[in-house]
Amino acid sequence: MSIANPELDFRVILDQICAEMQAAPHRGEAAQYIPELASIDTNQFGMAVALADGRVFVGGDADRRFSIQSVSKVFTLALALGRLGEDLWRRVGREPSGLPFNSIMQLEHEEGIPRNPFINPGALVVTDAILAGHAPREVLGELLRFVRAAAEDDDIHIDEAVARSETEHGDRNMALAHFMAAHGNFRNSPALTCGTYFHQCAIEMTPRQLAMSGRFLVGGPNMPGLIARDQVRRINALMLTCGHYDGSGDFAYRVGLPGKSGVGGGILVIAPGRASIAVWSPGLNQYGNSHLGTLAVERFAQATGWSVFG
Ligand code: GLN
């Protein structure tokens, strides 16, 4: 097990990245289809690195809360794999989709079985699976307990205004859910599962909390052992191949580390055996991933030399 190179000066690296990102002229636009997120100031940028040895380094707006959105899909997948194991893969695939996260086209072609658990229909199936007859309140409680335990921080909550905003404008996700229900790949009502999903997406965290919460995916002796070691590897594999939707290949090429993005502008990146890294900047690129967040972790990977490819 390799550990963080003690020669690396993370403070200097983060200061340089923050200075570059704070001055960047092109920042992307915040997600417009969730009204509560549409007017967020895109000048914000924060980053945090939680090392396997317990040290945490931060830069910029590292203690400002943001909506984690699709980064939550990593946590629900961890819960679902823990509960259902391999049976989950009867209902959702493990291949990159090559299409936007909310595309319905492929779902029709593939008869209601989503390509992977990180595009929206795949994440809806995962949430539908962990609901399994439980009240949404119980499942969301379990999810928050998991995230708080992972982050070692109880001050992590759901932003009800964001959840409401997405529920009121959730036609597209509802359409995906109804389509899967028509194919027999849904166990609960589309409204119940979508409502739960909108709430999981509305979890708020700071970059510091998100970096801390990702340590269960780093592996290694001092990391929280919330899931089995082989599931850690599998979730990382899915993050690398599918975590950025139709931008996953580009992210793997530029960063070389598993990552999961959200339309709130957050990205969780795992350097296996070394660190959990969180970055947040609300302006998005054409794939709906944080524009400056991606650039920042690309710079970070260059500076540290970290990559899963050696
Ligand atoms: N809640 C968002 C949605 O379902 C999450 C999408 C994302 O972060 N890519 O559209």
Side-chain angles (χ1 to χ4, degrees):
M1 177 67 55
S2 54
I3 55 156
N5 176 357
E7 304 298 317
L8 286 170
D9 194 334
F10 293 97
R11 219 173 303 273
V12 170
I13 294 172
L14 285 185
D15 282 352
Q16 276 170 357
I17 292 173
C18 285
E20 182 186 345
M21 299 310 145
Q22 265 138 13
H26 303 296
R27 314 188 70 87
E29 194 184 35
Q32 297 300 302
Y33 72 98
I34 303 174
E36 196 67 23
L37 300 180
S39 55
I40 289 177
D41 178 6
T42 55
N43 286 313
Q44 301 175 93
F45 174 86
M47 191 162 179
V49 179
L51 297 180
D53 66 10
R55 288 179 296 160
V56 179
F57 295 90
V58 298
D61 300 311
D63 291 309
R64 196 155 300 169
R65 290 175 200 274
F66 66 95
S67 193
I68 69 166
Q69 292 297 316
S70 285
V71 182
S72 67
K73 294 170 181 174
V74 170
F75 302 111
T76 47
L77 177 62
L79 287 181
L81 283 174
R83 206 182 278 176
L84 283 86
E86 294 293 304
D87 282 350
L88 180 68
W89 305 119
R90 293 174 200 228
R91 297 182 57 189
V92 55
R94 300 191 295 256
E95 294 295 340
S97 69
L99 287 167
F101 61 80
N102 55 7
S103 171
I104 199 164
M105 196 169 72
Q106 200 167 52
L107 197 58
E108 171 153 37
H109 197 66
E110 297 178 2
E111 301 184 337
I113 307 290
R115 270 286 173 101
N116 69 65
F118 292 149
I119 51 173
N120 284 10
L124 286 167
V125 161
V126 169
T127 301
D128 188 65
I130 54 177
L131 266 170
H134 299 281
R137 180 170 23 87
E138 292 170 39
V139 168
L140 292 167
E142 186 185 352
L143 175 61
L144 280 174
R145 275 194 298 282
F146 184 96
V147 174
R148 288 169 181 163
E152 292 174 19
D153 189 337
D154 283 343
D155 191 17
I156 295 172
H157 312 275
I158 291 171
D159 182 334
E160 288 294 337
V162 171
R164 209 174 315 117
S165 180
E166 200 176 358
T167 306
E168 284 164 5
H169 297 83
D171 292 329
R172 194 155 177 136
N173 282 315
M174 284 290 283
L176 292 165
H178 276 286
F179 192 80
M180 290 188 286
H183 276 286
N185 195 13
F186 237 57
R187 305 286 178 269
N188 304 280
S189 79
L192 195 82
T193 296
C194 284
T196 310
Y197 167 81
F198 296 144
H199 280 78
Q200 85 181 47
C201 289
I203 292 174
E204 278 192 314
M205 279 198 245
T206 66
R208 186 196 298 270
Q209 289 173 326
L210 185 59
M212 286 293 288
S213 75
R215 291 169 312 141
F216 79 103
L217 293 170
V218 171
N222 303 318
M223 299 290 96
L226 291 169
I227 59 171
R229 184 78 185 100
D230 52 353
Q231 302 295 24
V232 168
R233 290 197 192 93
R234 290 174 178 144
I235 293 175
N236 273 285
L238 289 164
M239 288 168 76
L240 186 78
T241 51
C242 310
H244 283 72
Y245 320 114
D246 43 340
S248 297
D250 184 59
F251 188 86
Y253 180 88
R254 290 170 60 189
V255 180
L257 296 168
K260 181 73 208 83
S261 66
V263 287
I267 306 177
L268 174 64
V269 178
I270 304 301
R274 293 183 156 124
S276 166
I277 303 137
V279 65
W280 166 61
S281 180
L284 307 179
N285 63 20
Q286 75 267 37
Y287 308 114
N289 305 319
S290 175
H291 172 67
L292 290 183
T294 305
L295 186 59
V297 286
E298 182 180 14
R299 293 280 189 269
F300 184 81
Q302 283 164 350
T304 55
W306 292 353
S307 163
V308 293
F309 302 107

